[in-house]
Amino acid sequence: METQINGKAMIVQLSLSAWQGRKLDKAASREVTDTHGAERDTARVHKDLIDSQEVKIITKLDNAIRTYHYQVTLPWDDTGSRILPTKLYFDYCQETARLLADRQVAIDGFLSKYNQMRLDAYRRLGTLYNQRDYPDASAISRKFSHNVRFFPLPTGDFRLDLPDGEVDRIRAEVQASTQALLAGSMADLWERLRGVVGAVVDRLGTPDAIFRDSLIGNVRDLCDLLPKLNLTGDPALEDIRAQCQRELATLDPGVLRDNKLERKTAAQRAQAIMDKMV
């Protein structure tokens, strides 16, 4: 593992938290089930505590941050840690900083209007309104947070006060575990490639199916990104990527919509690529 990716990648952890502005109303839920003669917990009433465009923007930005985070990193373990190639480190820092700055602007805008929204909720919710659902602004502000942390990948360099044989055993276990995790990360790249090429087969292989320009754009974006994510230098992955770049990423969606022969040919090429990835 060290000879493959040592110095080429790091571990990154991303966490985002936000006040959702929704709450389960247990009393209203019981009232609904009792009114309709239903068993308890068969219906639940969730209240939108406020009507805020800013919260919708925060949610949209959170989704964008997570999408970007997953796009440029690889899975590592079941704790949510991801591998970030060093080639993408500065791009990652710049893009997440931009999105987090936009997020903070939306948070500040929401907090500045929160007290008025809390008053407006009394009118909006009628008898569903409960003052205890609304902490003060300072408490709400603490529910919004973010954290981005970087860690080095594990290595076999141990300094332990243990017998040499035990240190060797631990080192072997760590290296084996790391190799397995890395193999899972590379498998994720193959799945991404299958996903975008498979979508081309599905949409273009159905003559009357409607498709967006992003069908080809997704192939193009992944082809541009894969060389930086291919940490082990997998030659088979690179060969397929290069073929996708030549035969699919250069396609013109407009031509594919207007020319049935071009569309059929593109679908056949995509299927041939899929067949190689089985």
Side-chain angles (χ1 to χ4, degrees), residues 159-277:
R159 300 289 190 270
L160 299 175
D161 186 16
L162 291 171
D164 290 344
E166 190 67 13
V167 172
D168 290 342
R169 184 188 66 79
I170 296 173
R171 180 184 293 113
E173 287 182 358
V174 170
Q175 290 177 344
S177 175
T178 301
Q179 287 284 6
L181 290 170
L182 181 58
S185 297
M186 298 307 297
D188 178 75
L189 291 182
W190 283 102
E191 285 304 311
R192 293 195 203 184
L193 201 51
R194 291 187 187 95
V196 296
V197 176
V200 173
V201 173
D202 290 342
R203 305 309 294 172
L204 298 188
T206 305
D208 297 327
I210 297 173
F211 66 91
R212 298 182 179 181
D213 290 0
S214 59
L215 182 73
I216 304 303
N218 290 339
V219 177
R220 187 181 305 116
D221 291 344
L222 185 57
C223 285
D224 291 341
L225 188 60
L226 276 179
K228 296 178 180 179
L229 290 174
N230 187 1
L231 293 172
T232 64
D234 184 345
L237 181 65
E238 173 54 26
D239 286 346
I240 295 294
R241 183 208 70 84
Q243 186 176 359
C244 289
Q245 181 79 59
R246 292 191 307 269
E247 299 183 7
L248 301 181
T250 56
L251 294 172
D252 185 328
V255 172
L256 296 175
R257 292 188 184 96
D258 296 336
N259 190 316
K260 293 184 178 180
L261 179 59
E262 288 288 340
R263 177 172 181 151
K264 181 179 179 180
T265 300
Q268 291 172 341
R269 289 176 179 173
Q271 183 61 62
I273 294 173
M274 282 293 292
D275 293 341
K276 289 184 177 181
M277 291 190 284

Side-chain angles (χ1 to χ4, degrees), residues 14-267:
L14 168 71
S15 63
L16 299 168
S17 63
W19 186 62
Q20 300 301 318
R22 300 188 79 240
K23 186 170 183 178
L24 172 67
D25 191 318
K26 295 180 179 179
S29 299
R30 286 194 298 270
E31 182 179 348
V32 169
T33 54
D34 291 347
T35 299
H36 293 276
E39 294 182 1
R40 293 288 172 89
D41 297 327
T42 56
R44 292 175 174 83
V45 176
H46 286 85
K47 300 183 292 188
D48 288 326
L49 299 177
I50 55 170
D51 182 17
S52 170
Q53 185 62 31
E54 286 78 11
V55 168
K56 295 176 183 177
I57 293 173
I58 295 167
T59 300
K60 184 177 180 179
L61 285 167
D62 284 355
N63 291 336
I65 294 168
R66 291 190 179 97
T67 296
Y68 176 75
H69 174 73
Y70 281 97
Q71 178 185 7
V72 301
T73 62
L74 297 170
W76 185 243
D77 58 27
D78 56 7
T79 67
S81 296
R82 307 275 296 183
I83 301 179
L84 174 68
T86 54
K87 290 181 179 179
L88 290 168
Y89 171 77
F90 289 108
D91 289 343
Y92 179 89
C93 291
Q94 182 177 6
E95 182 64 8
T96 53
R98 181 186 69 82
L99 291 169
L100 288 170
D102 290 345
R103 182 182 195 259
Q104 190 59 52
V105 170
I107 291 171
D108 292 342
F110 163 68
L111 292 174
S112 70
K113 301 175 183 178
Y114 173 70
N115 287 331
Q116 182 59 52
M117 293 176 186
R118 184 164 52 173
L119 294 175
D120 294 341
Y122 181 81
R123 173 186 53 80
R124 289 179 54 251
L125 292 174
T127 58
L128 291 175
Y129 179 83
N130 186 338
Q131 187 175 357
R132 288 176 294 182
D133 292 337
Y134 299 88
D136 60 36
S138 61
I140 290 293
S141 67
R142 291 192 292 271
K143 295 183 179 293
F144 292 96
S145 66
H146 70 268
N147 194 7
V148 182
R149 297 190 296 173
F150 300 96
F151 304 93
L153 285 168
T155 69
D157 184 18
F158 287 96
R159 300 289 190 270
L160 299 175
D161 186 16
L162 291 171
D164 290 344
E166 190 67 13
V167 172
D168 290 342
R169 184 188 66 79
I170 296 173
R171 180 184 293 113
E173 287 182 358
V174 170
Q175 290 177 344
S177 175
T178 301
Q179 287 284 6
L181 290 170
L182 181 58
S185 297
M186 298 307 297
D188 178 75
L189 291 182
W190 283 102
E191 285 304 311
R192 293 195 203 184
L193 201 51
R194 291 187 187 95
V196 296
V197 176
V200 173
V201 173
D202 290 342
R203 305 309 294 172
L204 298 188
T206 305
D208 297 327
I210 297 173
F211 66 91
R212 298 182 179 181
D213 290 0
S214 59
L215 182 73
I216 304 303
N218 290 339
V219 177
R220 187 181 305 116
D221 291 344
L222 185 57
C223 285
D224 291 341
L225 188 60
L226 276 179
K228 296 178 180 179
L229 290 174
N230 187 1
L231 293 172
T232 64
D234 184 345
L237 181 65
E238 173 54 26
D239 286 346
I240 295 294
R241 183 208 70 84
Q243 186 176 359
C244 289
Q245 181 79 59
R246 292 191 307 269
E247 299 183 7
L248 301 181
T250 56
L251 294 172
D252 185 328
V255 172
L256 296 175
R257 292 188 184 96
D258 296 336
N259 190 316
K260 293 184 178 180
L261 179 59
E262 288 288 340
R263 177 172 181 151
K264 181 179 179 180
T265 300

